[in-house]
Amino acid sequence: MSTQVAIVAEGLATLAGPRILHTDISLTVQRGEVLAVVGGSGSGKTVLLRTLSLLQAPAAGRMEVLGSDAINLDSAALRVLRRRIGILFQHGALFTGLNVLDNICLPLAEHTGLSAGSRRELGMLRLGLAGLPADTASKFPGELSGGMIKRAALARALALDPELLFLDEPSAGLDPVTSAGLDELLKDLRELLGLTVVMVTHDLDSIARVSDRVAFLGRGDLLAVAPVAQLADSDLPEIRSYFAAAPRDYGDKSCKHG
């Protein structure tokens, strides 16, 4: 696989429980790009994200992730590959019984041999990267606003310095100002850390602000992959109606990464 490619999926079939949801997904994610995954309710956005992020195995097909054949790896090699991937879950998925710093340090404790002091030092650095003040470290998830929970979960997703970052509905439940601030943070982190980002979202403003390309799911298939300005003018009725529901000027944001 080219060093310019982060993910290649060919003929991918995905599972929702025992049911096959997608039967033939083929998709390439370029290194350094932000790819938004969109589609109507029930189109399988989160299922595709879980498959691409190695949280669940596909039913069929071929998939290479960061240069490795992700389908045929043994458990030890799969564990190593997963360390190169960070995931922000829709509701943050922070452990309520742990404070923010302990949540951030959890992947470091599980996957590294670092001392507790070193883990805490790195955890504080990730806290700062996520735009949270230092005194947030000792707070518990129940003491945080929705935006702070997303940022704390993002800090945890960055704990192991991943190359690939997956985001499941990062702006869900956030007000427009908080959502825009999170988008700006993601743009900055992409540039600072050289991240490749795949995000599931229904937020058209967020798509317009941060995505290089958009993958549109529908009818159990991947209907199109293109910059948002091109998709907004699509001839396909499913895509046209999706973007017409909340019309806006997307401009002509060309894809920088192919």
Side-chain angles (χ1 to χ4, degrees):
M1 186 170 70
S2 167
T3 57
Q4 298 304 310
V5 175
I7 301 173
V8 174
E10 295 179 348
L12 207 64
T14 69
L15 291 166
R19 181 170 62 97
I20 293 180
L21 190 58
H22 306 114
T23 57
D24 189 16
I25 297 285
S26 292
L27 174 67
T28 297
V29 181
Q30 303 293 331
R31 282 186 183 264
E33 79 170 320
V34 177
L35 178 74
V37 179
V38 306
S41 178
S43 60
K45 300 181 294 293
T46 294
V47 170
L48 180 60
L49 180 140
R50 288 180 58 85
T51 304
L52 295 177
S53 63
L54 310 181
L55 286 178
Q56 67 180 58
R62 170 180 170 269
M63 187 167 69
E64 292 186 25
V65 177
L66 299 174
S68 296
D69 178 357
I71 304 296
N72 297 308
L73 293 177
D74 61 34
S75 58
L78 187 60
R79 180 179 172 88
V80 170
L81 182 57
R82 282 175 174 156
R83 286 185 53 178
R84 301 167 67 188
I85 295 171
I87 304 174
L88 170 61
F89 298 97
Q90 181 173 349
H91 301 294
L94 297 175
F95 291 96
T96 57
L98 299 178
N99 66 29
V100 168
L101 184 57
D102 286 341
N103 265 284
I104 297 170
C105 290
L106 202 59
L108 295 168
E110 182 178 355
H111 293 286
T112 76
L114 294 172
S115 67
S118 295
R119 293 197 301 267
R120 292 180 68 82
E121 183 177 348
L122 281 174
M124 291 301 295
L125 288 173
R126 300 300 184 263
L127 190 77
L129 277 177
L132 289 171
D135 64 1
T136 310
S138 60
K139 294 182 178 180
F140 287 82
E143 302 175 85
L144 304 180
S145 67
M148 292 176 76
I149 286 174
K150 293 295 179 74
R151 287 175 181 255
L154 178 60
R156 185 178 63 185
L158 296 173
L160 294 171
D161 195 20
E163 298 165 58
L164 257 174
L165 180 64
F166 290 88
L167 312 173
D168 191 3
E169 298 284 7
S171 61
L174 303 182
D175 63 79
V177 173
T178 304
S179 177
L182 187 60
D183 285 340
E184 289 303 313
L185 174 63
L186 289 174
K187 288 165 63 177
D188 290 343
L189 289 173
R190 189 264 290 265
E191 296 300 323
L192 178 65
L193 304 176
L195 293 168
T196 301
V197 181
V198 178
M199 69 173 187
V200 164
T201 184
H202 66 278
D203 187 335
L204 297 182
D205 288 318
S206 182
I207 291 168
R209 279 191 292 259
V210 304
S211 70
D212 294 301
R213 293 189 301 157
V214 179
F216 196 100
L217 293 174
R219 290 181 267 156
D221 200 358
L222 183 59
L223 297 182
V225 184
V228 63
Q230 292 181 23
L231 279 190
D233 292 329
S234 174
D235 292 331
L236 292 176
E238 298 97 325
I239 299 177
R240 188 170 59 249
S241 62
Y242 184 90
F243 288 99
R248 56 190 29 83
D249 180 10
Y250 292 103
D252 184 17
K253 185 174 181 181
S254 60
C255 179
K256 303 173 186 175
H257 305 280

